[in-house]
Amino acid sequence: MESQDISPREPQDENIIENKELNIWEALIPIFALIGMLFYNVFFVYGDDALSGSNQFILLMGAAVAAFVGFRNKVSYKQMIEEVAENVKSTTGAILILLMVGALAGTWLISGIIPSMIYYGLQILNPTIFLAASVVICAIISIATGSSWTTSATVGIALIGIGNTLGISAGMTAGAVLSGAYFGDKMSPLSDTTNLAPTMAGGELFAHIKYMSITTVPTILVTLLVFIIIGFSIETTGSPDISDKLAAIDAAFNISPWLFIVPAFVIFLIVKKTEPLIALLAGTLLAGITAVIAQPDIVMSVAGADTLTVNSAYKGVMNAITVDSAVETTSAELNDLFSAGGMSGMLGTIWLILCAMVFGGIMDAIGALSRISKALLNLASTVFGLFASTVASCLALNITASDQYLAIVVPGKMFKKAYEEKGLAPENLSRTLEDSGTVTSVLIPWNTCGAYQSGVLGVGVSEYFFYAIFNWLSPFTTLLFAAFNIKIKQLAKK
């Protein structure tokens, strides 16, 4: 039997489906229905528990509404299912990474890596500089790795823990982590979205990065300034007394800077362009071995055993990788912090992503995504209108298609010719795609990025939305520069 091609479709090869039978109002019906159902579900019934399952079903209901619109416009059931299958297929890597992040978090807990990060971090960082420092730390790591996902899954988790022990809300810390991580992701030549945007616009990578810095650097500086002001406004009486927390960590774990070899090795692998999935797997296995050597008592506790044997060591590490694990300390706050869900803790997020891909796939199959983008393009009669329409299209795709790649690919293909006709260099389009498509994906709960980051950091999108300053400020910055015609690059005259 011949093997089938199971290689994932490249984002730039995404086929934009058009449906001349569908008008703009029909294309918007599923959007209005989805927003209405989500609003009722979240604000009147489930609140913060909406992501436990009800929002997932609401996405399927939105998909059903889109399918009904498709049936009325001569779109076959087979075509819709095929597009859903392609969408789900495109998330294979993300789902596997999510599972591996859950595994890594579990082994990094029982091995003492995360507790050691918190232990030393508490002695270095104080509330005044903590948030701004978090932005800088995550920006550096993300530039080096080219991955906001890896940054949040490693140092991001540790910073959330440090922030909690310093009395800083998890929403604030997550906002700082994501602001730095997405700045680095945008500016790194190793980032997939940073390479994808100029590809779609017809530009060149390093010209894109250089031109993007015109809007990105001011945005991150404003973000840092805001976090510095927040740091000074946090009510504290000098540095908090953390001696009890340090003693509790020291009593529960064998703390050592040698444990940082594991995260350093993971970051080294990613900088060397090792696939993130392989790097995370290596980090998980290495941390599991480290746990048996450095934290034998904890491994026995997680395994429910009285003595450390080959079987109990295997069971302890395997439990940390796959299911809930927790380490008891003398501090109630730390007890909440030192727990991990393993791979099973990521299943809710994976469930959300799959349901979002069903909605996005059907919206694409019936031609709604193409129709909405074209309608926005028709509104662009001026240069500013063109920029504004691109931003609106990227935001609309992040909400409807639930995927940041589609939020770059679809508007990129749709708007490329319009930018050329107005004499604008391709860097204008690629920069706008990143300023509005890449960074805002994390602000949508059912988008793959929003679902991933909230799942990894353990902080709801609604909690960190306001504090993800860089992410929501970036579209406004690009529009401000367009409105005042600041550094708008023209096509070179031949």
Side-chain angles (χ1 to χ4, degrees):
M1 185 177 74
E2 293 184 2
S3 62
Q4 294 181 329
D5 178 19
I6 59 172
S7 59
R9 181 171 56 184
E10 292 296 321
Q12 59 266 31
D13 298 330
E14 180 72 34
N15 180 37
I16 302 173
I17 299 173
E18 297 187 17
N19 183 357
K20 295 180 180 179
E21 302 288 335
L22 190 75
N23 62 51
I24 182 59
W25 297 111
E26 290 174 315
L28 290 172
I29 286 174
I31 306 297
F32 293 143
L34 178 65
I35 292 173
M37 289 187 289
L38 286 172
F39 182 83
Y40 175 78
N41 191 60
V42 173
F43 289 97
F44 292 99
V45 183
Y46 283 97
D48 292 339
D49 292 330
L51 286 176
S52 298
S54 58
N55 270 2
Q56 284 89 327
F57 185 71
I58 293 299
L59 282 165
L60 295 182
M61 291 296 293
V65 173
F68 178 76
V69 172
F71 289 139
R72 289 183 57 85
N73 286 274
K74 303 176 182 179
V75 181
S76 69
Y77 174 81
K78 181 181 179 181
Q79 182 177 334
M80 294 184 207
I81 292 299
E82 285 179 351
E83 195 61 30
V84 168
E86 286 293 339
N87 263 22
V88 172
K89 181 180 175 182
S90 71
T91 65
T92 301
I95 289 173
L96 291 175
I97 287 175
L98 272 170
L99 289 172
M100 200 51 59
V101 165
L104 180 135
T107 55
W108 281 28
L109 170 63
I110 67 166
S111 63
I113 294 171
I114 291 176
S116 291
M117 288 180 176
I118 294 172
Y119 182 85
Y120 292 114
L122 284 173
Q123 299 175 68
I124 298 171
L125 300 173
N126 62 66
T128 303
I129 66 166
F130 174 74
L131 293 172
S134 296
V135 174
V136 174
I137 291 168
C138 290
I140 292 171
I141 296 297
S142 196
I143 288 174
T145 63
S147 172
S148 56
W149 284 31
T150 303
T151 301
S152 58
T154 51
V155 297
I157 295 174
L159 288 170
I160 290 289
I162 295 170
N164 286 340
T165 56
L166 289 173
I168 298 173
S169 77
M172 283 187 183
T173 307
V177 167
L178 294 174
S179 292
Y182 275 82
F183 167 81
D185 193 308
K186 280 182 65 180
M187 300 304 292
S188 174
L190 302 177
S191 168
D192 49 4
T193 55
T194 305
N195 282 271
L196 179 61
T199 298
M200 301 314 304
E204 191 270 332
L205 173 62
F206 288 99
H208 163 66
I209 293 174
K210 181 179 179 181
Y211 190 66
M212 188 165 52
S213 66
I214 296 172
T215 56
T216 303
V217 171
T219 306
I220 197 66
L221 291 177
V222 172
T223 301
L224 279 169
L225 178 61
V226 172
F227 277 121
I228 289 171
I229 293 171
I230 292 174
F232 278 105
S233 66
I234 294 175
E235 294 184 6
T236 59
T237 54
S239 296
D241 181 8
I242 57 172
S243 57
D244 60 329
K245 296 181 177 64
L246 294 176
I249 297 173
D250 201 26
F253 297 90
N254 294 318
I255 300 299
S256 170
W258 289 106
L259 296 173
F260 295 152
I261 291 175
V262 177
F265 178 67
V266 173
I267 293 172
F268 170 78
L269 288 178
I270 294 173
V271 169
K272 288 296 184 179
K273 299 183 179 181
T274 304
E275 290 295 332
L277 188 62
I278 297 173
L280 292 172
L281 175 60
T284 298
L285 296 176
L286 187 57
I289 295 170
T290 302
V292 176
I293 298 171
Q295 317 291 341
D297 292 340
I298 291 175
V299 172
M300 286 190 294
S301 175
V302 173
D306 296 324
T307 57
L308 186 65
T309 63
V310 172
N311 287 346
S312 63
Y314 171 83
K315 185 177 180 181
V317 173
M318 189 61 72
N319 283 349
I321 289 174
T322 57
V323 295
D324 294 341
S325 56
V327 179
E328 293 288 332
T329 71
T330 56
S331 170
E333 295 176 0
L334 293 177
N335 288 342
D336 292 333
L337 183 62
F338 293 150
S339 61
M343 295 170 76
S344 65
M346 292 296 169
L347 295 180
T349 301
I350 292 170
W351 182 14
L352 179 67
I353 289 173
L354 291 176
C355 292
M357 289 300 99
V358 173
F359 177 75
I362 293 181
M363 285 290 288
D364 192 13
I366 68 175
L369 301 185
S370 173
R371 179 63 65 189
I372 292 170
S373 292
K374 281 191 172 182
L376 290 169
L377 179 57
N378 291 335
L379 297 175
S381 58
T382 65
V383 170
F384 175 76
L386 183 58
F387 276 81
S389 296
T390 308
V391 170
S393 183
C394 291
L395 293 174
L397 267 295
N398 264 329
I399 293 171
T400 57
S402 307
D403 183 78
Q404 70 170 347
Y405 295 112
L406 287 177
I408 293 174
V409 170
V410 176
K413 288 186 176 182
M414 293 290 183
F415 286 82
K416 181 180 177 181
K417 186 176 180 182
Y419 276 75
E420 292 174 352
E421 290 175 350
K422 290 197 179 292
L424 298 172
E427 288 82 7
N428 292 283
L429 175 56
S430 61
R431 182 180 75 182
T432 307
L433 292 174
E434 288 241 67
D435 282 345
S436 51
T438 299
V439 298
T440 61
S441 56
V442 74
L443 304 176
I444 313 299
W446 55 87
N447 188 286
T448 51
C449 293
Y452 172 87
Q453 299 291 2
S454 62
V456 167
L457 298 176
V459 184
V461 173
S462 61
E463 295 178 69
Y464 68 64
F465 186 101
F466 177 77
Y467 298 105
I469 299 166
F470 176 81
N471 301 75
W472 57 255
L473 186 59
S474 291
F476 290 104
T477 305
T478 203
L479 290 177
L480 181 68
F481 276 60
F484 289 95
N485 199 30
I486 302 172
K487 297 288 185 179
I488 303 300
K489 187 176 183 181
Q490 304 296 312
L491 276 173
K493 293 183 179 180
K494 297 182 180 179

